[in-house]
Amino acid sequence: MNLRIAAIRSGTDPVRKLTTGSFQRWLEAPLTCPKCDATYNLAVDWDQSSDRWFPETSRPLITLLKKAIFMGHTTNHRVTHFETEGVIVESVTPPIPEPKQ
């Protein structure tokens, strides 16, 4: 089972469906940008988060999300939804609306 964690900026909605599981668990400790007051809440599949090895397996992914949030400070935290699985952090952005003609 691949662990997937999403970081959603506080006050915004997820851009897409979070996980394939039916229930999400919001982790208690949010991530904050060290340079400003931007806060990101972490969501993970309920079954994955209740695994006894979750604290050890989630640590590297949370570190990657912290780095992505820190790097997002230079763009004023325009990206409000990050997801990570393995060694990849994906910035999820809303689709650009097509101009009306």
Side-chain angles (χ1 to χ4, degrees):
M1 175 180 349
N2 292 331
L3 180 61
R4 187 172 191 87
I5 300 176
I8 313 298
R9 187 167 179 187
S10 297
T12 63
D13 292 324
V15 176
R16 68 176 181 204
K17 186 178 177 183
L18 292 177
T19 60
T20 57
S22 57
F23 295 105
Q24 283 80 35
R25 176 180 173 198
W26 294 91
L27 300 182
E28 295 173 7
L31 299 179
T32 57
C33 178
K35 290 189 171 188
C36 65
D37 61 349
T39 303
Y40 288 77
N41 296 314
L42 300 177
V44 68
D45 181 64
W46 182 268
D47 292 333
Q48 292 177 337
S49 68
S50 61
D51 181 32
R52 68 186 273 190
W53 304 111
F54 178 74
E56 289 81 19
T57 58
S58 66
R59 189 172 298 126
L61 299 178
I62 292 173
T63 301
L64 287 173
L65 289 170
K66 285 180 183 179
K67 191 172 190 176
I69 290 167
F70 177 71
M71 292 173 61
H73 180 78
T74 59
T75 60
N76 200 22
H77 297 286
R78 281 190 316 213
V79 178
T80 61
H81 184 152
F82 294 101
E83 287 190 21
T84 184
E85 182 177 13
V87 295
I88 298 171
V89 174
E90 181 182 1
S91 302
V92 184
T93 56
I96 299 172
E98 295 183 21
K100 295 181 181 179
Q101 295 181 6

XYZ file of all heavy atoms in Angstrom:
806
model
N 0.848 -1.178 0.000
C 0.000 0.000 0.000
C 0.894 1.242 0.000
O 1.752 1.391 0.847
C -0.897 -0.022 1.240
C -1.710 1.198 1.390
S -2.828 1.317 2.837
C -2.887 -0.249 3.571
N 0.715 2.118 -0.981
C 1.476 3.360 -1.051
C 0.814 4.420 -0.197
O -0.377 4.673 -0.317
C 1.571 3.856 -2.498
C 2.428 2.941 -3.344
O 3.339 2.298 -2.835
N 2.142 2.874 -4.618
N 1.601 5.045 0.637
C 1.099 6.105 1.508
C 1.034 7.404 0.722
O 1.984 7.779 0.037
C 2.020 6.251 2.722
C 1.643 7.314 3.740
C 0.270 7.011 4.331
C 2.677 7.356 4.848
N -0.086 8.087 0.784
C -0.287 9.357 0.082
C -0.804 10.362 1.100
O -1.795 10.118 1.777
C -1.284 9.162 -1.049
C -1.439 10.356 -1.932
C -2.298 9.972 -3.137
N -2.279 10.991 -4.142
C -1.384 11.088 -5.104
N -0.442 10.207 -5.206
N -1.442 12.065 -5.977
N -0.127 11.510 1.184
C -0.517 12.557 2.126
C -0.782 13.830 1.340
O -0.030 14.182 0.432
C 0.588 12.804 3.171
C 0.866 11.530 3.967
C 0.185 13.927 4.123
C 2.003 11.647 4.957
N -1.847 14.533 1.691
C -2.192 15.802 1.059
C -2.034 16.927 2.079
O -2.366 16.755 3.253
C -3.621 15.777 0.542
N -1.515 18.056 1.624
C -1.412 19.263 2.445
C -2.300 20.317 1.803
O -2.079 20.715 0.656
C 0.034 19.743 2.525
N -3.318 20.754 2.539
C -4.294 21.724 2.039
C -4.161 22.996 2.866
O -4.213 22.946 4.097
C -5.740 21.193 2.168
C -5.859 19.759 1.657
C -6.720 22.128 1.495
C -5.543 19.566 0.220
N -4.008 24.131 2.190
C -3.868 25.396 2.919
C -5.147 25.701 3.691
O -6.259 25.535 3.187
C -3.548 26.541 1.968
C -3.246 27.808 2.724
C -2.632 28.851 1.883
N -2.403 30.033 2.709
C -1.998 31.169 2.252
N -1.744 31.321 0.965
N -1.832 32.177 3.063
N -4.995 26.150 4.916
C -6.146 26.497 5.764
C -6.978 27.571 5.089
O -6.447 28.519 4.518
C -5.671 27.001 7.124
O -4.990 25.997 7.808
N -8.282 27.406 5.152
C -9.195 28.380 4.562
C -9.490 28.124 3.098
O -10.215 28.880 2.480
N -8.925 27.057 2.522
C -9.207 26.724 1.123
C -9.749 25.307 1.057
O -9.614 24.526 1.985
C -7.934 26.821 0.251
O -6.979 25.860 0.706
C -7.330 28.216 0.298
N -10.349 24.991 -0.062
C -10.872 23.647 -0.293
C -9.870 22.862 -1.125
O -9.116 23.441 -1.907
C -12.200 23.707 -1.051
C -13.302 24.317 -0.206
O -13.297 24.072 1.016
O -14.162 25.015 -0.771
N -9.874 21.535 -0.995
C -9.017 20.728 -1.870
C -9.389 20.949 -3.328
O -10.563 21.097 -3.662
C -9.303 19.290 -1.445
C -9.935 19.397 -0.106
C -10.605 20.723 -0.034
N -8.401 20.965 -4.196
C -8.660 21.193 -5.612
C -9.277 19.963 -6.258
O -10.095 20.064 -7.152
C -7.351 21.600 -6.329
C -7.561 21.756 -7.810
C -6.822 22.894 -5.726
N -8.897 18.786 -5.776
C -9.471 17.540 -6.298
C -9.711 16.581 -5.144
O -9.324 16.843 -4.010
C -8.558 16.907 -7.344
C -7.265 16.378 -6.778
C -6.466 15.677 -7.841
N -5.247 15.163 -7.248
C -4.166 14.908 -7.909
N -4.136 15.136 -9.208
N -3.109 14.430 -7.309
N -10.354 15.457 -5.448
C -10.634 14.448 -4.436
C -9.317 14.023 -3.776
O -8.315 13.810 -4.446
C -11.319 13.256 -5.090
C -11.790 12.212 -4.125
C -12.510 11.094 -4.860
C -12.904 10.022 -3.872
N -13.530 8.894 -4.538
N -9.329 13.900 -2.454
C -8.084 13.672 -1.740
C -7.480 12.297 -1.962
O -6.350 12.173 -2.388
C -8.297 13.908 -0.242
C -8.573 15.356 0.144
C -8.830 15.454 1.633
C -7.410 16.224 -0.243
N -8.188 11.225 -1.628
C -7.620 9.886 -1.751
C -8.664 8.935 -2.288
O -9.838 9.279 -2.392
C -7.130 9.358 -0.384
O -8.237 9.308 0.507
C -6.048 10.232 0.192
N -8.224 7.729 -2.546
C -9.160 6.719 -3.039
C -9.975 6.099 -1.920
O -10.969 5.445 -2.173
C -8.394 5.604 -3.778
O -7.431 5.053 -2.872
C -7.709 6.138 -5.005
N -9.566 6.282 -0.671
C -10.295 5.738 0.469
C -11.601 6.469 0.695
O -11.831 7.559 0.193
N -12.452 5.864 1.480
C -13.762 6.459 1.716
C -13.719 7.529 2.803
O -14.525 8.442 2.794
C -14.769 5.378 2.078
O -14.320 4.666 3.220
N -12.795 7.413 3.745
C -12.717 8.384 4.830
C -11.315 8.962 4.908
O -10.329 8.240 4.795
C -13.040 7.733 6.183
C -14.444 7.240 6.280
C -14.725 5.897 6.208
C -15.492 8.134 6.443
C -16.014 5.426 6.297
C -16.790 7.679 6.534
C -17.052 6.325 6.455
N -11.235 10.257 5.120
C -9.947 10.903 5.309
C -9.776 11.231 6.781
O -10.735 11.501 7.485
C -9.832 12.206 4.507
C -9.583 11.991 3.041
C -10.843 11.652 2.294
O -11.900 12.146 2.608
N -10.738 10.785 1.318
N -8.560 11.232 7.204
C -8.226 11.646 8.564
C -7.357 12.889 8.457
O -6.388 12.927 7.713
C -7.451 10.540 9.277
C -6.986 10.951 10.650
C -6.225 9.820 11.299
N -5.639 10.302 12.546
C -4.665 9.699 13.176
N -4.164 8.586 12.699
N -4.176 10.194 14.278
N -7.745 13.917 9.175
C -6.948 15.140 9.223
C -5.998 15.008 10.398
O -6.427 14.812 11.525
C -7.858 16.354 9.380
C -8.720 16.562 8.170
C -9.963 16.046 7.963
C -8.379 17.283 7.001
N -10.426 16.424 6.728
C -9.476 17.189 6.113
C -7.265 18.014 6.599
C -9.472 17.785 4.858
C -7.272 18.611 5.355
C -8.366 18.498 4.500
N -4.718 15.088 10.118
C -3.725 14.939 11.178
C -3.753 16.156 12.089
O -4.070 17.270 11.657
C -2.333 14.745 10.577
C -2.184 13.515 9.680
C -0.752 13.404 9.172
C -2.592 12.250 10.402
N -3.422 15.940 13.346
C -3.560 16.984 14.360
C -2.572 18.129 14.196
O -2.906 19.273 14.460
C -3.402 16.364 15.749
C -4.506 15.385 16.077
C -4.257 14.650 17.378
O -3.292 14.988 18.094
O -5.020 13.738 17.681
N -1.355 17.838 13.784
C -0.327 18.878 13.704
C -0.243 19.434 12.276
O 0.222 18.747 11.376
C 1.024 18.312 14.120
N -0.696 20.667 12.054
C -0.586 21.253 10.713
C 0.853 21.693 10.445
O 1.663 21.836 11.364
C -1.528 22.454 10.777
C -1.544 22.832 12.213
C -1.377 21.554 12.983
N 1.164 21.911 9.174
C 2.474 22.428 8.790
C 2.354 23.922 8.554
O 1.381 24.392 7.969
C 2.963 21.743 7.511
C 3.149 20.237 7.572
C 3.620 19.713 6.214
C 4.145 19.866 8.650
N 3.338 24.680 8.997
C 3.326 26.122 8.800
C 4.573 26.544 8.042
O 5.627 25.918 8.145
C 3.282 26.882 10.136
O 4.393 26.473 10.927
C 1.995 26.597 10.888
N 4.441 27.608 7.290
C 5.581 28.190 6.593
C 6.463 28.868 7.637
O 5.957 29.642 8.454
C 5.104 29.195 5.556
S 6.466 30.020 4.689
N 7.774 28.616 7.630
C 8.634 29.229 8.636
C 8.823 30.737 8.445
O 9.288 31.410 9.360
C 9.966 28.485 8.481
C 9.927 27.877 7.141
C 8.491 27.678 6.786
N 8.434 31.270 7.289
C 8.634 32.697 7.033
C 7.367 33.537 7.190
O 7.447 34.755 7.214
C 9.174 32.894 5.624
C 10.588 32.402 5.467
C 11.130 32.816 4.125
C 12.604 32.526 4.043
N 13.189 33.077 2.835
N 6.207 32.896 7.229
C 4.964 33.657 7.353
C 3.940 32.825 8.122
O 4.270 31.804 8.703
C 4.436 34.068 5.976
S 3.937 32.695 4.939
N 2.691 33.235 8.098
C 1.666 32.556 8.884
C 0.818 31.573 8.063
O -0.241 31.159 8.510
C 0.761 33.576 9.563
C 0.034 34.458 8.565
O 0.373 34.426 7.367
O -0.878 35.188 8.980
N 1.272 31.177 6.874
C 0.526 30.210 6.058
C 0.538 28.848 6.744
O 1.586 28.346 7.141
C 1.121 30.109 4.669
N -0.640 28.259 6.893
C -0.790 26.969 7.565
C -1.442 25.975 6.622
O -2.404 26.306 5.931
C -1.659 27.131 8.825
O -1.071 28.111 9.663
C -1.765 25.830 9.586
N -0.915 24.774 6.599
C -1.438 23.702 5.759
C -1.851 22.532 6.633
O -1.078 22.065 7.459
C -0.377 23.238 4.750
C -0.112 24.230 3.649
C 0.657 25.359 3.868
C -0.642 24.038 2.380
C 0.903 26.270 2.862
C -0.402 24.948 1.363
C 0.370 26.062 1.613
O 0.604 26.963 0.619
N -3.084 22.050 6.450
C -3.585 20.884 7.172
C -3.263 19.626 6.369
O -3.329 19.641 5.143
C -5.091 20.994 7.383
C -5.440 22.171 8.250
O -4.824 22.392 9.278
N -6.423 22.943 7.823
N -2.938 18.552 7.068
C -2.555 17.306 6.414
C -3.702 16.307 6.445
O -4.320 16.096 7.481
C -1.338 16.702 7.115
C -0.088 17.571 7.117
C 1.015 16.894 7.907
C 0.373 17.834 5.703
N -3.963 15.701 5.294
C -5.011 14.690 5.184
C -4.403 13.401 4.653
O -3.541 13.423 3.778
C -6.113 15.164 4.242
N -4.860 12.292 5.207
C -4.389 10.975 4.796
C -5.558 10.000 4.897
O -6.515 10.247 5.634
C -3.182 10.542 5.671
C -3.604 10.294 7.091
C -2.474 9.333 5.098
N -5.489 8.923 4.138
C -6.527 7.905 4.190
C -6.607 7.312 5.598
O -5.585 7.062 6.235
C -6.213 6.809 3.168
C -7.258 5.725 3.159
O -8.414 6.018 2.822
O -6.908 4.583 3.513
N -7.812 7.106 6.082
C -8.018 6.622 7.446
C -7.317 5.296 7.699
O -6.642 5.118 8.712
C -9.520 6.494 7.729
C -9.785 6.049 9.123
C -9.948 4.768 9.557
C -9.880 6.874 10.278
N -10.154 4.751 10.916
C -10.117 6.038 11.376
C -9.804 8.243 10.489
C -10.261 6.525 12.663
C -9.961 8.724 11.768
C -10.177 7.869 12.837
N -7.458 4.346 6.788
C -6.842 3.036 6.978
C -5.320 3.130 7.032
O -4.678 2.454 7.829
C -7.262 2.077 5.861
C -8.735 1.723 5.928
O -9.303 1.772 7.041
O -9.317 1.414 4.876
N -4.743 3.965 6.179
C -3.289 4.119 6.179
C -2.794 4.782 7.457
O -1.755 4.425 7.992
C -2.833 4.928 4.968
C -3.034 4.196 3.666
C -2.657 5.036 2.477
O -2.651 6.267 2.545
N -2.340 4.395 1.374
N -3.559 5.737 7.962
C -3.120 6.460 9.157
C -3.265 5.631 10.426
O -2.646 5.941 11.440
C -3.889 7.768 9.313
O -5.246 7.506 9.607
N -4.075 4.586 10.382
C -4.238 3.765 11.571
C -3.252 2.599 11.612
O -3.266 1.808 12.548
C -5.682 3.246 11.660
O -5.978 2.458 10.529
N -2.386 2.508 10.611
C -1.347 1.476 10.579
C -0.337 1.734 11.690
O 0.006 2.885 11.986
C -0.650 1.496 9.216
C 0.418 0.437 9.088
O 0.260 -0.642 9.685
O 1.408 0.699 8.376
N 0.155 0.685 12.302
C 1.072 0.860 13.426
C 2.399 1.460 13.001
O 3.121 2.014 13.810
C 1.289 -0.459 14.153
C 2.062 -1.483 13.338
C 2.136 -2.796 14.021
N 3.273 -2.824 14.917
C 3.708 -3.899 15.520
N 3.088 -5.046 15.319
N 4.741 -3.857 16.306
N 2.753 1.374 11.719
C 4.019 1.928 11.229
C 3.852 3.322 10.629
O 4.803 3.877 10.074
C 4.633 0.990 10.186
C 4.834 -0.387 10.705
C 4.155 -1.507 10.331
C 5.744 -0.804 11.719
N 4.585 -2.592 11.045
C 5.571 -2.186 11.902
C 6.688 -0.135 12.505
C 6.305 -2.921 12.824
C 7.423 -0.866 13.421
C 7.234 -2.236 13.573
N 2.675 3.895 10.734
C 2.417 5.194 10.114
C 3.385 6.293 10.563
O 3.878 7.043 9.714
C 0.966 5.636 10.369
C 0.654 6.992 9.807
C 0.488 7.159 8.446
C 0.552 8.095 10.636
C 0.212 8.410 7.915
C 0.276 9.344 10.117
C 0.106 9.501 8.750
N 3.703 6.436 11.846
C 4.639 7.509 12.226
C 5.999 7.404 11.526
O 6.563 8.422 11.119
C 4.784 7.343 13.738
C 3.519 6.681 14.163
C 3.163 5.759 13.019
N 6.488 6.194 11.330
C 7.785 6.021 10.672
C 7.690 6.205 9.156
O 8.559 6.820 8.549
C 8.369 4.635 10.984
C 8.833 4.477 12.416
C 7.700 4.160 13.380
O 6.623 3.703 12.932
O 7.868 4.395 14.588
N 6.638 5.676 8.542
C 6.522 5.767 7.088
C 6.096 7.153 6.619
O 6.386 7.533 5.491
C 5.527 4.720 6.547
O 4.259 4.914 7.169
C 6.016 3.312 6.787
N 5.436 7.914 7.470
C 4.973 9.239 7.061
C 6.036 10.316 7.242
O 5.952 11.372 6.614
C 3.721 9.626 7.845
O 4.021 9.778 9.221
N 7.015 10.084 8.073
C 8.022 11.114 8.380
C 8.724 11.669 7.133
O 8.810 12.886 6.964
C 9.031 10.577 9.388
C 9.960 11.640 9.921
C 10.825 11.140 11.056
N 9.987 10.744 12.185
C 10.043 9.555 12.770
N 10.893 8.652 12.360
N 9.248 9.273 13.786
N 9.240 10.829 6.204
C 9.893 11.403 5.021
C 8.938 12.174 4.119
O 9.317 13.191 3.528
C 10.476 10.197 4.288
C 10.201 9.002 5.102
C 9.360 9.389 6.257
N 7.686 11.717 4.033
C 6.713 12.429 3.192
C 6.365 13.791 3.785
O 6.220 14.784 3.061
C 5.454 11.582 3.024
C 5.648 10.227 2.347
C 4.334 9.477 2.289
C 6.240 10.386 0.981
N 6.236 13.853 5.096
C 5.936 15.129 5.753
C 7.106 16.091 5.588
O 6.912 17.293 5.375
C 5.562 14.892 7.226
C 4.206 14.161 7.297
C 5.512 16.198 8.002
C 3.793 13.720 8.675
N 8.328 15.571 5.603
C 9.504 16.415 5.370
C 9.475 16.999 3.959
O 9.790 18.176 3.760
C 10.792 15.605 5.594
O 10.795 15.101 6.929
C 12.027 16.457 5.367
N 9.092 16.200 2.966
C 8.974 16.700 1.596
C 7.903 17.783 1.484
O 8.081 18.787 0.789
C 8.652 15.553 0.635
C 9.778 14.585 0.325
C 9.250 13.410 -0.496
C 10.896 15.283 -0.421
N 6.781 17.583 2.173
C 5.724 18.595 2.147
C 6.183 19.889 2.806
O 5.867 20.987 2.334
C 4.460 18.059 2.815
C 3.713 16.987 2.037
C 2.623 16.361 2.891
C 3.122 17.565 0.764
N 6.931 19.789 3.900
C 7.468 20.991 4.556
C 8.343 21.772 3.597
O 8.268 23.002 3.523
C 8.284 20.608 5.793
C 7.478 20.185 6.977
C 8.412 19.826 8.133
C 7.653 19.326 9.331
N 8.554 18.951 10.437
N 9.176 21.061 2.848
C 10.062 21.717 1.885
C 9.261 22.391 0.772
O 9.567 23.507 0.365
C 11.032 20.696 1.305
C 12.135 21.286 0.508
C 13.141 20.210 0.136
C 14.375 20.840 -0.457
N 15.405 19.850 -0.750
N 8.224 21.718 0.282
C 7.391 22.299 -0.775
C 6.677 23.552 -0.276
O 6.564 24.545 -1.000
C 6.379 21.275 -1.272
N 6.202 23.521 0.961
C 5.529 24.691 1.534
C 6.513 25.842 1.690
O 6.210 26.994 1.374
C 4.860 24.323 2.876
C 3.665 23.399 2.619
C 4.440 25.556 3.654
C 3.115 22.736 3.852
N 7.717 25.545 2.145
C 8.746 26.571 2.282
C 9.077 27.185 0.923
O 9.204 28.404 0.797
C 10.000 25.981 2.930
C 11.126 26.951 3.052
C 11.060 27.993 3.961
C 12.248 26.831 2.261
C 12.099 28.899 4.080
C 13.292 27.731 2.370
C 13.220 28.770 3.279
N 9.198 26.349 -0.111
C 9.493 26.859 -1.453
C 8.320 27.648 -2.019
O 8.500 28.545 -2.835
C 9.868 25.705 -2.373
C 11.195 25.069 -1.997
S 11.585 23.583 -2.939
C 11.652 24.216 -4.587
N 7.095 27.336 -1.584
C 5.919 28.064 -2.044
C 5.825 29.478 -1.496
O 5.029 30.278 -1.975
N 6.648 29.804 -0.508
C 6.637 31.155 0.057
C 7.062 32.184 -0.988
O 6.562 33.310 -0.986
C 7.557 31.222 1.281
C 7.595 32.567 1.918
N 6.581 33.016 2.741
C 8.506 33.565 1.840
C 6.882 34.237 3.151
N 8.038 34.593 2.618
N 7.964 31.814 -1.893
C 8.448 32.759 -2.907
C 7.353 33.153 -3.895
O 7.451 34.195 -4.524
C 9.640 32.168 -3.680
O 9.232 30.946 -4.309
C 10.817 31.907 -2.748
N 6.315 32.339 -4.032
C 5.206 32.667 -4.925
C 3.961 33.075 -4.145
O 2.847 32.986 -4.668
C 4.867 31.473 -5.841
O 4.495 30.357 -5.023
C 6.041 31.099 -6.724
N 4.159 33.489 -2.900
C 3.067 33.946 -2.043
C 2.030 32.850 -1.802
O 0.841 33.121 -1.695
C 2.420 35.208 -2.607
C 1.663 35.958 -1.549
O 1.913 35.802 -0.363
N 0.733 36.796 -1.979
N 2.486 31.609 -1.764
C 1.633 30.448 -1.479
C 0.424 30.365 -2.402
O -0.692 30.121 -1.970
C 1.208 30.436 -0.006
C 2.364 30.298 0.931
N 3.038 29.122 1.116
C 2.998 31.211 1.709
C 4.009 29.304 1.983
N 4.015 30.556 2.357
N 0.660 30.584 -3.699
C -0.425 30.464 -4.683
C -0.955 29.042 -4.754
O -2.138 28.830 -4.969
C 0.049 30.886 -6.072
C 0.113 32.358 -6.279
C 0.353 32.662 -7.727
N 1.387 31.763 -8.249
C 2.251 32.093 -9.183
N 2.218 33.273 -9.722
N 3.149 31.236 -9.595
N -0.065 28.052 -4.612
C -0.498 26.658 -4.634
C -1.072 26.328 -3.262
O -0.401 26.468 -2.249
C 0.671 25.713 -4.981
C 0.220 24.269 -4.943
C 1.251 26.059 -6.337
N -2.318 25.929 -3.245
C -2.990 25.667 -1.969
C -3.165 24.184 -1.691
O -3.686 23.813 -0.662
C -4.380 26.336 -1.946
O -5.168 25.790 -2.996
C -4.261 27.833 -2.104
N -2.727 23.314 -2.616
C -2.947 21.872 -2.469
C -1.698 21.142 -2.966
O -1.346 21.226 -4.127
C -4.169 21.484 -3.307
C -4.570 20.047 -3.172
N -5.858 19.645 -3.340
C -3.881 18.926 -2.910
C -5.948 18.328 -3.184
N -4.737 17.874 -2.925
N -1.026 20.450 -2.050
C 0.110 19.603 -2.387
C -0.255 18.168 -2.042
O -0.951 17.915 -1.067
C 1.357 19.974 -1.575
C 1.924 21.331 -1.871
C 1.679 22.390 -1.017
C 2.715 21.537 -2.985
C 2.216 23.638 -1.260
C 3.256 22.783 -3.244
C 3.009 23.837 -2.383
N 0.248 17.226 -2.831
C 0.099 15.812 -2.504
C 1.434 15.140 -2.725
O 2.172 15.494 -3.642
C -0.968 15.135 -3.373
C -2.368 15.529 -2.998
C -3.418 14.686 -3.691
O -3.102 13.567 -4.147
O -4.552 15.154 -3.775
N 1.744 14.168 -1.888
C 2.987 13.434 -2.032
C 2.741 11.944 -1.911
O 1.875 11.495 -1.179
C 4.029 13.886 -0.988
O 5.244 13.208 -1.251
C 3.591 13.618 0.411
N 3.506 11.221 -2.710
C 3.498 9.763 -2.662
C 4.880 9.341 -3.133
O 5.315 9.717 -4.218
C 2.422 9.186 -3.573
C 2.340 7.689 -3.524
C 1.208 7.161 -4.394
O 0.653 7.903 -5.203
O 0.893 5.982 -4.241
N 5.600 8.607 -2.331
C 6.971 8.267 -2.678
C 7.855 9.480 -2.545
O 7.814 10.183 -1.539
N 8.651 9.774 -3.569
C 9.567 10.915 -3.496
C 9.085 12.091 -4.339
O 9.828 13.036 -4.567
C 10.988 10.510 -3.953
C 11.573 9.495 -3.011
C 10.974 9.970 -5.371
N 7.848 12.066 -4.764
C 7.311 13.123 -5.626
C 6.302 13.953 -4.855
O 5.422 13.425 -4.190
C 6.627 12.515 -6.866
C 7.642 11.733 -7.681
C 5.953 13.584 -7.702
C 7.040 10.921 -8.788
N 6.440 15.285 -4.947
C 5.434 16.195 -4.405
C 4.745 16.838 -5.598
O 5.384 17.451 -6.443
C 6.050 17.284 -3.499
C 4.991 18.286 -3.077
C 6.700 16.659 -2.291
N 3.435 16.676 -5.668
C 2.643 17.221 -6.770
C 1.913 18.471 -6.307
O 1.253 18.461 -5.272
C 1.646 16.165 -7.236
C 0.784 16.586 -8.373
C -0.230 15.524 -8.762
O -0.274 14.464 -8.120
O -0.987 15.786 -9.698
N 2.061 19.545 -7.065
C 1.308 20.773 -6.804
C 0.020 20.691 -7.596
O 0.045 20.696 -8.829
C 2.101 22.000 -7.247
O 3.330 22.049 -6.589
N -1.098 20.595 -6.911
C -2.388 20.465 -7.574
C -2.971 21.859 -7.746
O -3.206 22.565 -6.774
C -3.343 19.570 -6.755
C -4.645 19.366 -7.487
C -2.684 18.244 -6.443
N -3.170 22.251 -8.985
C -3.706 23.581 -9.282
C -5.052 23.442 -9.968
O -5.290 22.474 -10.699
C -2.747 24.389 -10.176
O -2.488 23.618 -11.361
C -1.443 24.658 -9.474
N -5.945 24.399 -9.742
C -7.251 24.321 -10.402
C -7.094 24.539 -11.905
O -6.161 25.213 -12.348
C -8.048 25.462 -9.756
C -7.039 26.368 -9.191
C -5.827 25.555 -8.892
N -7.969 23.950 -12.699
C -7.887 24.155 -14.147
C -8.132 25.611 -14.505
O -8.934 26.301 -13.875
C -8.968 23.246 -14.716
C -9.885 22.980 -13.585
C -9.080 23.112 -12.322
N -7.427 26.078 -15.518
C -7.597 27.458 -15.981
C -8.850 27.525 -16.840
O -8.992 26.758 -17.805
C -6.365 27.908 -16.789
C -5.121 27.852 -15.903
C -6.583 29.293 -17.371
C -3.843 28.084 -16.644
N -9.778 28.426 -16.493
C -11.014 28.504 -17.290
C -10.709 29.062 -18.686
O -9.860 29.921 -18.851
C -11.904 29.458 -16.496
C -10.976 30.212 -15.610
C -9.774 29.346 -15.388
N -11.406 28.503 -19.660
C -11.219 28.973 -21.026
C -11.911 30.320 -21.212
O -12.993 30.553 -20.651
C -11.783 27.956 -21.998
C -11.035 26.643 -21.981
C -11.582 25.676 -23.011
O -12.229 26.117 -23.981
O -11.358 24.477 -22.845
N -11.288 31.224 -21.978
C -11.924 32.530 -22.173
C -13.205 32.402 -22.996
O -13.291 31.575 -23.893
C -10.853 33.338 -22.937
C -9.914 32.328 -23.491
C -10.021 31.096 -22.644
N -14.178 33.225 -22.646
C -15.451 33.200 -23.364
C -15.272 33.924 -24.687
O -14.592 34.937 -24.777
C -16.537 33.876 -22.551
C -16.849 33.135 -21.278
C -17.943 33.818 -20.512
C -18.220 33.056 -19.234
N -19.262 33.701 -18.439
N -15.911 33.417 -25.707
C -15.783 34.024 -27.028
C -17.054 34.681 -27.442
O -18.118 34.383 -27.131
C -15.400 32.981 -28.061
C -14.029 32.435 -27.764
C -13.638 31.392 -28.816
O -14.330 31.176 -29.789
N -12.517 30.772 -28.612
